[in-house]
Amino acid sequence: MKRDGKAAFWCLGTGAGLILACVLSKGLYLIGTLGNPVSIYGAAAFIRLEPQEFSFFGAELGMVLGFLLAARVTGRDRGTALDAIALPGTLLVAALRFATLYLGETGLGEFQTLGIYDLTDGVFPAFFPLAVRDSWGDWWMAVGTLEMLAALLCGVYAAVKKKQLAGAPGLLFERTSLLLCSAQVFLELLHSAGTVTYFVHTEQLWNALYILIRVILNCRKTALRRPGLKAWIPLICAVLCIAVNGVTQFFIDKPYGFLEPLPTAVGDWISDHLSLVGYGLILLSTIGLGAAALKASSAARSDLIGKETA
């Protein structure tokens, strides 16, 4: 493709992506809150600029759709276009995630979530950028830093695998996005500010939903070539991991009904260790979800990428 065509793709994609990112980030936030802000603020809910009133996943989705639109207009292959934005996309996500540390509680979490109650000056990790101290002298977990590191690792993956996966257009973006969304299924849980649907963070739901859709599509593609239960094993594993993740969060959020029938000593021990054990189980289920998603992706594209890249 000519250089001017490439420039047009990037310019159009960036412009369209920014517009769609603004629309979808606010739109998914309002959907996740079941429209409650509209009943409170009226039409102003659509234009309020409070940092916590936007969906980061919606912004990511908007940018991707913007570049897909640009690919169609400029005549670029869709898969190749998506692969082109895999690395710069992760770098952009890393920068924006780190920037949330400067937006109040948006990029922060409580260390109590992980069982750390007393964090004093000079003690690891009581320093920036691993933690942020507020005006009261209290330390907050710098979740934005963890999200930045996760995005950078996904960027490293995209850079390393770029040539290896060149024979399967779109696969580099697919795998990179699956890794990024898998990381966010866990990291979104650590945020102290955010929209919650029942007992699960809404941003977790969006990321898990994207992963689940990709797994279903890839398993279906595999089943068309090799019919049988084996083709759907990644989907079964993904659903089980999501179920374990959700049930564990339910017990962490509402432990009393679960602990009441148990002996007092047992209930007290579980209550003291519930968060640490629960978050460990959630992390393991998230890793399992990512592994299932990658396995489904490999199986669906095995005819293109070969065994050495599966």
Side-chain angles (χ1 to χ4, degrees), residues 262-298:
L262 300 176
T264 303
V266 176
D268 290 343
W269 186 91
I270 294 177
S271 179
D272 292 339
H273 297 82
L274 183 61
S275 292
L276 185 59
V277 174
Y279 279 94
L281 186 58
I282 291 171
L283 178 59
L284 289 176
S285 66
T286 302
I287 293 174
L289 176 62
L294 292 179
K295 181 62 178 178
S297 177
S298 296

PDB file of all heavy atoms in Angstrom, residues 262-298:
ATOM      1  N   LEU A 262     -21.187 -22.773  60.097  1.00  0.00           N
ATOM      2  CA  LEU A 262     -19.945 -23.415  60.503  1.00  0.00           C
ATOM      3  C   LEU A 262     -19.645 -23.166  61.972  1.00  0.00           C
ATOM      4  O   LEU A 262     -20.136 -22.199  62.558  1.00  0.00           O
ATOM      5  CB  LEU A 262     -18.787 -22.895  59.642  1.00  0.00           C
ATOM      6  CG  LEU A 262     -18.902 -23.115  58.132  1.00  0.00           C
ATOM      7  CD1 LEU A 262     -17.717 -22.465  57.420  1.00  0.00           C
ATOM      8  CD2 LEU A 262     -18.970 -24.598  57.798  1.00  0.00           C
ATOM      9  N   PRO A 263     -18.852 -24.033  62.618  1.00  0.00           N
ATOM     10  CA  PRO A 263     -18.415 -23.784  63.994  1.00  0.00           C
ATOM     11  C   PRO A 263     -17.734 -22.429  64.108  1.00  0.00           C
ATOM     12  O   PRO A 263     -17.077 -21.972  63.163  1.00  0.00           O
ATOM     13  CB  PRO A 263     -17.433 -24.939  64.264  1.00  0.00           C
ATOM     14  CG  PRO A 263     -17.863 -26.013  63.316  1.00  0.00           C
ATOM     15  CD  PRO A 263     -18.352 -25.313  62.088  1.00  0.00           C
ATOM     16  N   THR A 264     -17.846 -21.794  65.270  1.00  0.00           N
ATOM     17  CA  THR A 264     -17.328 -20.438  65.446  1.00  0.00           C
ATOM     18  C   THR A 264     -15.846 -20.337  65.121  1.00  0.00           C
ATOM     19  O   THR A 264     -15.412 -19.414  64.416  1.00  0.00           O
ATOM     20  CB  THR A 264     -17.569 -19.961  66.884  1.00  0.00           C
ATOM     21  OG1 THR A 264     -18.963 -20.033  67.179  1.00  0.00           O
ATOM     22  CG2 THR A 264     -17.084 -18.531  67.062  1.00  0.00           C
ATOM     23  N   ALA A 265     -15.058 -21.267  65.620  1.00  0.00           N
ATOM     24  CA  ALA A 265     -13.610 -21.214  65.396  1.00  0.00           C
ATOM     25  C   ALA A 265     -13.280 -21.330  63.908  1.00  0.00           C
ATOM     26  O   ALA A 265     -12.423 -20.609  63.384  1.00  0.00           O
ATOM     27  CB  ALA A 265     -12.919 -22.324  66.181  1.00  0.00           C
ATOM     28  N   VAL A 266     -13.985 -22.240  63.239  1.00  0.00           N
ATOM     29  CA  VAL A 266     -13.758 -22.420  61.800  1.00  0.00           C
ATOM     30  C   VAL A 266     -14.184 -21.175  61.035  1.00  0.00           C
ATOM     31  O   VAL A 266     -13.482 -20.694  60.136  1.00  0.00           O
ATOM     32  CB  VAL A 266     -14.520 -23.660  61.284  1.00  0.00           C
ATOM     33  CG1 VAL A 266     -14.367 -23.780  59.764  1.00  0.00           C
ATOM     34  CG2 VAL A 266     -14.021 -24.914  61.970  1.00  0.00           C
ATOM     35  N   GLY A 267     -15.363 -20.640  61.400  1.00  0.00           N
ATOM     36  CA  GLY A 267     -15.862 -19.442  60.736  1.00  0.00           C
ATOM     37  C   GLY A 267     -14.937 -18.253  60.921  1.00  0.00           C
ATOM     38  O   GLY A 267     -14.703 -17.487  59.984  1.00  0.00           O
ATOM     39  N   ASP A 268     -14.376 -18.104  62.137  1.00  0.00           N
ATOM     40  CA  ASP A 268     -13.458 -16.989  62.400  1.00  0.00           C
ATOM     41  C   ASP A 268     -12.187 -17.129  61.574  1.00  0.00           C
ATOM     42  O   ASP A 268     -11.657 -16.147  61.040  1.00  0.00           O
ATOM     43  CB  ASP A 268     -13.110 -16.930  63.890  1.00  0.00           C
ATOM     44  CG  ASP A 268     -14.294 -16.492  64.739  1.00  0.00           C
ATOM     45  OD1 ASP A 268     -15.251 -15.937  64.163  1.00  0.00           O
ATOM     46  OD2 ASP A 268     -14.259 -16.713  65.966  1.00  0.00           O
ATOM     47  N   TRP A 269     -11.666 -18.378  61.467  1.00  0.00           N
ATOM     48  CA  TRP A 269     -10.443 -18.580  60.694  1.00  0.00           C
ATOM     49  C   TRP A 269     -10.677 -18.259  59.223  1.00  0.00           C
ATOM     50  O   TRP A 269      -9.868 -17.587  58.584  1.00  0.00           O
ATOM     51  CB  TRP A 269      -9.967 -20.026  60.834  1.00  0.00           C
ATOM     52  CG  TRP A 269      -8.630 -20.264  60.178  1.00  0.00           C
ATOM     53  CD1 TRP A 269      -7.407 -20.149  60.753  1.00  0.00           C
ATOM     54  CD2 TRP A 269      -8.410 -20.626  58.803  1.00  0.00           C
ATOM     55  NE1 TRP A 269      -6.413 -20.432  59.840  1.00  0.00           N
ATOM     56  CE2 TRP A 269      -7.003 -20.724  58.633  1.00  0.00           C
ATOM     57  CE3 TRP A 269      -9.245 -20.881  57.725  1.00  0.00           C
ATOM     58  CZ2 TRP A 269      -6.440 -21.064  57.416  1.00  0.00           C
ATOM     59  CZ3 TRP A 269      -8.662 -21.209  56.505  1.00  0.00           C
ATOM     60  CH2 TRP A 269      -7.272 -21.304  56.357  1.00  0.00           C
ATOM     61  N   ILE A 270     -11.790 -18.741  58.686  1.00  0.00           N
ATOM     62  CA  ILE A 270     -12.106 -18.478  57.279  1.00  0.00           C
ATOM     63  C   ILE A 270     -12.304 -16.984  57.046  1.00  0.00           C
ATOM     64  O   ILE A 270     -11.841 -16.429  56.046  1.00  0.00           O
ATOM     65  CB  ILE A 270     -13.367 -19.263  56.854  1.00  0.00           C
ATOM     66  CG1 ILE A 270     -13.093 -20.763  56.883  1.00  0.00           C
ATOM     67  CG2 ILE A 270     -13.809 -18.839  55.446  1.00  0.00           C
ATOM     68  CD1 ILE A 270     -14.294 -21.610  56.541  1.00  0.00           C
ATOM     69  N   SER A 271     -12.980 -16.322  57.989  1.00  0.00           N
ATOM     70  CA  SER A 271     -13.220 -14.889  57.851  1.00  0.00           C
ATOM     71  C   SER A 271     -11.911 -14.115  57.810  1.00  0.00           C
ATOM     72  O   SER A 271     -11.754 -13.169  57.040  1.00  0.00           O
ATOM     73  CB  SER A 271     -14.092 -14.393  59.008  1.00  0.00           C
ATOM     74  OG  SER A 271     -14.318 -12.997  58.903  1.00  0.00           O
ATOM     75  N   ASP A 272     -10.931 -14.527  58.662  1.00  0.00           N
ATOM     76  CA  ASP A 272      -9.642 -13.835  58.713  1.00  0.00           C
ATOM     77  C   ASP A 272      -8.822 -14.059  57.454  1.00  0.00           C
ATOM     78  O   ASP A 272      -8.011 -13.212  57.072  1.00  0.00           O
ATOM     79  CB  ASP A 272      -8.841 -14.307  59.932  1.00  0.00           C
ATOM     80  CG  ASP A 272      -9.480 -13.862  61.245  1.00  0.00           C
ATOM     81  OD1 ASP A 272     -10.259 -12.890  61.208  1.00  0.00           O
ATOM     82  OD2 ASP A 272      -9.205 -14.499  62.282  1.00  0.00           O
ATOM     83  N   HIS A 273      -8.991 -15.222  56.823  1.00  0.00           N
ATOM     84  CA  HIS A 273      -8.165 -15.568  55.668  1.00  0.00           C
ATOM     85  C   HIS A 273      -8.944 -15.564  54.353  1.00  0.00           C
ATOM     86  O   HIS A 273      -8.388 -15.897  53.307  1.00  0.00           O
ATOM     87  CB  HIS A 273      -7.537 -16.955  55.860  1.00  0.00           C
ATOM     88  CG  HIS A 273      -6.612 -17.034  57.029  1.00  0.00           C
ATOM     89  ND1 HIS A 273      -7.061 -17.224  58.324  1.00  0.00           N
ATOM     90  CD2 HIS A 273      -5.256 -16.948  57.124  1.00  0.00           C
ATOM     91  CE1 HIS A 273      -6.043 -17.272  59.156  1.00  0.00           C
ATOM     92  NE2 HIS A 273      -4.933 -17.097  58.453  1.00  0.00           N
ATOM     93  N   LEU A 274     -10.228 -15.196  54.410  1.00  0.00           N
ATOM     94  CA  LEU A 274     -11.077 -15.300  53.228  1.00  0.00           C
ATOM     95  C   LEU A 274     -10.576 -14.451  52.067  1.00  0.00           C
ATOM     96  O   LEU A 274     -10.522 -14.913  50.931  1.00  0.00           O
ATOM     97  CB  LEU A 274     -12.518 -14.910  53.583  1.00  0.00           C
ATOM     98  CG  LEU A 274     -13.546 -15.045  52.447  1.00  0.00           C
ATOM     99  CD1 LEU A 274     -13.632 -16.500  51.983  1.00  0.00           C
ATOM    100  CD2 LEU A 274     -14.919 -14.554  52.912  1.00  0.00           C
ATOM    101  N   SER A 275     -10.204 -13.213  52.361  1.00  0.00           N
ATOM    102  CA  SER A 275      -9.774 -12.315  51.289  1.00  0.00           C
ATOM    103  C   SER A 275      -8.535 -12.852  50.586  1.00  0.00           C
ATOM    104  O   SER A 275      -8.480 -12.927  49.356  1.00  0.00           O
ATOM    105  CB  SER A 275      -9.501 -10.916  51.840  1.00  0.00           C
ATOM    106  OG  SER A 275     -10.695 -10.307  52.265  1.00  0.00           O
ATOM    107  N   LEU A 276      -7.530 -13.249  51.383  1.00  0.00           N
ATOM    108  CA  LEU A 276      -6.267 -13.710  50.800  1.00  0.00           C
ATOM    109  C   LEU A 276      -6.478 -14.970  49.965  1.00  0.00           C
ATOM    110  O   LEU A 276      -6.022 -15.063  48.821  1.00  0.00           O
ATOM    111  CB  LEU A 276      -5.253 -13.973  51.908  1.00  0.00           C
ATOM    112  CG  LEU A 276      -3.839 -14.343  51.446  1.00  0.00           C
ATOM    113  CD1 LEU A 276      -3.259 -13.226  50.584  1.00  0.00           C
ATOM    114  CD2 LEU A 276      -2.949 -14.619  52.648  1.00  0.00           C
ATOM    115  N   VAL A 277      -7.203 -15.954  50.535  1.00  0.00           N
ATOM    116  CA  VAL A 277      -7.463 -17.194  49.809  1.00  0.00           C
ATOM    117  C   VAL A 277      -8.366 -16.934  48.610  1.00  0.00           C
ATOM    118  O   VAL A 277      -8.148 -17.458  47.514  1.00  0.00           O
ATOM    119  CB  VAL A 277      -8.107 -18.243  50.746  1.00  0.00           C
ATOM    120  CG1 VAL A 277      -8.516 -19.486  49.962  1.00  0.00           C
ATOM    121  CG2 VAL A 277      -7.156 -18.607  51.868  1.00  0.00           C
ATOM    122  N   GLY A 278      -9.389 -16.101  48.820  1.00  0.00           N
ATOM    123  CA  GLY A 278     -10.334 -15.793  47.748  1.00  0.00           C
ATOM    124  C   GLY A 278      -9.675 -15.121  46.570  1.00  0.00           C
ATOM    125  O   GLY A 278      -9.895 -15.512  45.415  1.00  0.00           O
ATOM    126  N   TYR A 279      -8.831 -14.124  46.839  1.00  0.00           N
ATOM    127  CA  TYR A 279      -8.177 -13.425  45.741  1.00  0.00           C
ATOM    128  C   TYR A 279      -7.168 -14.331  45.042  1.00  0.00           C
ATOM    129  O   TYR A 279      -6.941 -14.206  43.835  1.00  0.00           O
ATOM    130  CB  TYR A 279      -7.494 -12.151  46.252  1.00  0.00           C
ATOM    131  CG  TYR A 279      -8.470 -11.011  46.417  1.00  0.00           C
ATOM    132  CD1 TYR A 279      -9.079 -10.756  47.634  1.00  0.00           C
ATOM    133  CD2 TYR A 279      -8.792 -10.199  45.332  1.00  0.00           C
ATOM    134  CE1 TYR A 279      -9.980  -9.732  47.787  1.00  0.00           C
ATOM    135  CE2 TYR A 279      -9.692  -9.159  45.468  1.00  0.00           C
ATOM    136  CZ  TYR A 279     -10.294  -8.927  46.696  1.00  0.00           C
ATOM    137  OH  TYR A 279     -11.196  -7.911  46.832  1.00  0.00           O
ATOM    138  N   GLY A 280      -6.564 -15.250  45.787  1.00  0.00           N
ATOM    139  CA  GLY A 280      -5.687 -16.226  45.147  1.00  0.00           C
ATOM    140  C   GLY A 280      -6.456 -17.121  44.197  1.00  0.00           C
ATOM    141  O   GLY A 280      -6.001 -17.412  43.090  1.00  0.00           O
ATOM    142  N   LEU A 281      -7.652 -17.547  44.628  1.00  0.00           N
ATOM    143  CA  LEU A 281      -8.488 -18.396  43.781  1.00  0.00           C
ATOM    144  C   LEU A 281      -8.979 -17.632  42.551  1.00  0.00           C
ATOM    145  O   LEU A 281      -9.029 -18.182  41.440  1.00  0.00           O
ATOM    146  CB  LEU A 281      -9.675 -18.913  44.593  1.00  0.00           C
ATOM    147  CG  LEU A 281     -10.592 -19.934  43.908  1.00  0.00           C
ATOM    148  CD1 LEU A 281      -9.798 -21.155  43.483  1.00  0.00           C
ATOM    149  CD2 LEU A 281     -11.726 -20.343  44.848  1.00  0.00           C
ATOM    150  N   ILE A 282      -9.313 -16.367  42.748  1.00  0.00           N
ATOM    151  CA  ILE A 282      -9.744 -15.530  41.622  1.00  0.00           C
ATOM    152  C   ILE A 282      -8.608 -15.360  40.621  1.00  0.00           C
ATOM    153  O   ILE A 282      -8.814 -15.417  39.400  1.00  0.00           O
ATOM    154  CB  ILE A 282     -10.233 -14.157  42.124  1.00  0.00           C
ATOM    155  CG1 ILE A 282     -11.547 -14.316  42.898  1.00  0.00           C
ATOM    156  CG2 ILE A 282     -10.425 -13.182  40.960  1.00  0.00           C
ATOM    157  CD1 ILE A 282     -11.996 -13.065  43.613  1.00  0.00           C
ATOM    158  N   LEU A 283      -7.394 -15.163  41.126  1.00  0.00           N
ATOM    159  CA  LEU A 283      -6.239 -15.024  40.242  1.00  0.00           C
ATOM    160  C   LEU A 283      -6.008 -16.301  39.439  1.00  0.00           C
ATOM    161  O   LEU A 283      -5.771 -16.255  38.229  1.00  0.00           O
ATOM    162  CB  LEU A 283      -4.996 -14.678  41.059  1.00  0.00           C
ATOM    163  CG  LEU A 283      -3.688 -14.534  40.275  1.00  0.00           C
ATOM    164  CD1 LEU A 283      -3.800 -13.453  39.206  1.00  0.00           C
ATOM    165  CD2 LEU A 283      -2.527 -14.239  41.225  1.00  0.00           C
ATOM    166  N   LEU A 284      -6.097 -17.454  40.109  1.00  0.00           N
ATOM    167  CA  LEU A 284      -5.909 -18.725  39.420  1.00  0.00           C
ATOM    168  C   LEU A 284      -6.985 -18.955  38.357  1.00  0.00           C
ATOM    169  O   LEU A 284      -6.690 -19.427  37.247  1.00  0.00           O
ATOM    170  CB  LEU A 284      -5.920 -19.872  40.432  1.00  0.00           C
ATOM    171  CG  LEU A 284      -4.706 -19.977  41.352  1.00  0.00           C
ATOM    172  CD1 LEU A 284      -4.907 -21.095  42.365  1.00  0.00           C
ATOM    173  CD2 LEU A 284      -3.427 -20.212  40.552  1.00  0.00           C
ATOM    174  N   SER A 285      -8.236 -18.622  38.688  1.00  0.00           N
ATOM    175  CA  SER A 285      -9.320 -18.792  37.717  1.00  0.00           C
ATOM    176  C   SER A 285      -9.147 -17.845  36.536  1.00  0.00           C
ATOM    177  O   SER A 285      -9.494 -18.190  35.400  1.00  0.00           O
ATOM    178  CB  SER A 285     -10.676 -18.567  38.389  1.00  0.00           C
ATOM    179  OG  SER A 285     -10.824 -17.231  38.820  1.00  0.00           O
ATOM    180  N   THR A 286      -8.584 -16.662  36.792  1.00  0.00           N
ATOM    181  CA  THR A 286      -8.333 -15.713  35.710  1.00  0.00           C
ATOM    182  C   THR A 286      -7.242 -16.221  34.783  1.00  0.00           C
ATOM    183  O   THR A 286      -7.340 -16.101  33.556  1.00  0.00           O
ATOM    184  CB  THR A 286      -7.928 -14.342  36.280  1.00  0.00           C
ATOM    185  OG1 THR A 286      -8.958 -13.857  37.144  1.00  0.00           O
ATOM    186  CG2 THR A 286      -7.710 -13.342  35.155  1.00  0.00           C
ATOM    187  N   ILE A 287      -6.193 -16.804  35.362  1.00  0.00           N
ATOM    188  CA  ILE A 287      -5.128 -17.396  34.548  1.00  0.00           C
ATOM    189  C   ILE A 287      -5.689 -18.543  33.712  1.00  0.00           C
ATOM    190  O   ILE A 287      -5.370 -18.693  32.525  1.00  0.00           O
ATOM    191  CB  ILE A 287      -3.985 -17.893  35.446  1.00  0.00           C
ATOM    192  CG1 ILE A 287      -3.296 -16.703  36.121  1.00  0.00           C
ATOM    193  CG2 ILE A 287      -2.968 -18.707  34.636  1.00  0.00           C
ATOM    194  CD1 ILE A 287      -2.248 -17.096  37.147  1.00  0.00           C
ATOM    195  N   GLY A 288      -6.563 -19.340  34.328  1.00  0.00           N
ATOM    196  CA  GLY A 288      -7.193 -20.428  33.597  1.00  0.00           C
ATOM    197  C   GLY A 288      -8.057 -19.925  32.451  1.00  0.00           C
ATOM    198  O   GLY A 288      -8.084 -20.519  31.365  1.00  0.00           O
ATOM    199  N   LEU A 289      -8.754 -18.812  32.679  1.00  0.00           N
ATOM    200  CA  LEU A 289      -9.587 -18.212  31.637  1.00  0.00           C
ATOM    201  C   LEU A 289      -8.734 -17.758  30.463  1.00  0.00           C
ATOM    202  O   LEU A 289      -9.074 -18.023  29.297  1.00  0.00           O
ATOM    203  CB  LEU A 289     -10.365 -17.030  32.216  1.00  0.00           C
ATOM    204  CG  LEU A 289     -11.223 -16.219  31.240  1.00  0.00           C
ATOM    205  CD1 LEU A 289     -12.309 -17.094  30.625  1.00  0.00           C
ATOM    206  CD2 LEU A 289     -11.845 -15.017  31.963  1.00  0.00           C
ATOM    207  N   GLY A 290      -7.610 -17.108  30.759  1.00  0.00           N
ATOM    208  CA  GLY A 290      -6.723 -16.672  29.691  1.00  0.00           C
ATOM    209  C   GLY A 290      -6.129 -17.834  28.924  1.00  0.00           C
ATOM    210  O   GLY A 290      -6.025 -17.794  27.691  1.00  0.00           O
ATOM    211  N   ALA A 291      -5.758 -18.894  29.641  1.00  0.00           N
ATOM    212  CA  ALA A 291      -5.192 -20.073  28.989  1.00  0.00           C
ATOM    213  C   ALA A 291      -6.220 -20.746  28.085  1.00  0.00           C
ATOM    214  O   ALA A 291      -5.897 -21.172  26.967  1.00  0.00           O
ATOM    215  CB  ALA A 291      -4.691 -21.060  30.050  1.00  0.00           C
ATOM    216  N   ALA A 292      -7.462 -20.833  28.539  1.00  0.00           N
ATOM    217  CA  ALA A 292      -8.524 -21.433  27.724  1.00  0.00           C
ATOM    218  C   ALA A 292      -8.762 -20.606  26.464  1.00  0.00           C
ATOM    219  O   ALA A 292      -8.976 -21.154  25.373  1.00  0.00           O
ATOM    220  CB  ALA A 292      -9.811 -21.545  28.538  1.00  0.00           C
ATOM    221  N   ALA A 293      -8.718 -19.276  26.616  1.00  0.00           N
ATOM    222  CA  ALA A 293      -8.933 -18.400  25.464  1.00  0.00           C
ATOM    223  C   ALA A 293      -7.823 -18.560  24.436  1.00  0.00           C
ATOM    224  O   ALA A 293      -8.078 -18.622  23.226  1.00  0.00           O
ATOM    225  CB  ALA A 293      -9.016 -16.950  25.933  1.00  0.00           C
ATOM    226  N   LEU A 294      -6.582 -18.645  24.899  1.00  0.00           N
ATOM    227  CA  LEU A 294      -5.459 -18.820  23.980  1.00  0.00           C
ATOM    228  C   LEU A 294      -5.495 -20.189  23.308  1.00  0.00           C
ATOM    229  O   LEU A 294      -5.153 -20.324  22.133  1.00  0.00           O
ATOM    230  CB  LEU A 294      -4.137 -18.634  24.725  1.00  0.00           C
ATOM    231  CG  LEU A 294      -3.830 -17.221  25.222  1.00  0.00           C
ATOM    232  CD1 LEU A 294      -2.497 -17.203  25.956  1.00  0.00           C
ATOM    233  CD2 LEU A 294      -3.815 -16.215  24.082  1.00  0.00           C
ATOM    234  N   LYS A 295      -5.910 -21.205  24.050  1.00  0.00           N
ATOM    235  CA  LYS A 295      -6.015 -22.542  23.478  1.00  0.00           C
ATOM    236  C   LYS A 295      -7.069 -22.581  22.378  1.00  0.00           C
ATOM    237  O   LYS A 295      -6.847 -23.183  21.310  1.00  0.00           O
ATOM    238  CB  LYS A 295      -6.382 -23.541  24.585  1.00  0.00           C
ATOM    239  CG  LYS A 295      -6.488 -24.985  24.099  1.00  0.00           C
ATOM    240  CD  LYS A 295      -5.169 -25.486  23.542  1.00  0.00           C
ATOM    241  CE  LYS A 295      -5.272 -26.937  23.098  1.00  0.00           C
ATOM    242  NZ  LYS A 295      -4.006 -27.430  22.510  1.00  0.00           N
ATOM    243  N   ALA A 296      -8.209 -21.933  22.627  1.00  0.00           N
ATOM    244  CA  ALA A 296      -9.257 -21.885  21.602  1.00  0.00           C
ATOM    245  C   ALA A 296      -8.769 -21.145  20.372  1.00  0.00           C
ATOM    246  O   ALA A 296      -9.053 -21.536  19.238  1.00  0.00           O
ATOM    247  CB  ALA A 296     -10.503 -21.210  22.174  1.00  0.00           C
ATOM    248  N   SER A 297      -8.003 -20.075  20.578  1.00  0.00           N
ATOM    249  CA  SER A 297      -7.464 -19.299  19.467  1.00  0.00           C
ATOM    250  C   SER A 297      -6.481 -20.125  18.651  1.00  0.00           C
ATOM    251  O   SER A 297      -6.495 -20.110  17.415  1.00  0.00           O
ATOM    252  CB  SER A 297      -6.781 -18.037  20.000  1.00  0.00           C
ATOM    253  OG  SER A 297      -6.193 -17.298  18.961  1.00  0.00           O
ATOM    254  N   SER A 298      -5.617 -20.884  19.337  1.00  0.00           N
ATOM    255  CA  SER A 298      -4.637 -21.719  18.645  1.00  0.00           C
ATOM    256  C   SER A 298      -5.312 -22.811  17.824  1.00  0.00           C
ATOM    257  O   SER A 298      -4.934 -23.073  16.684  1.00  0.00           O
ATOM    258  CB  SER A 298      -3.685 -22.356  19.666  1.00  0.00           C
ATOM    259  OG  SER A 298      -2.934 -21.376  20.338  1.00  0.00           O
TER     260      SER A 298
END
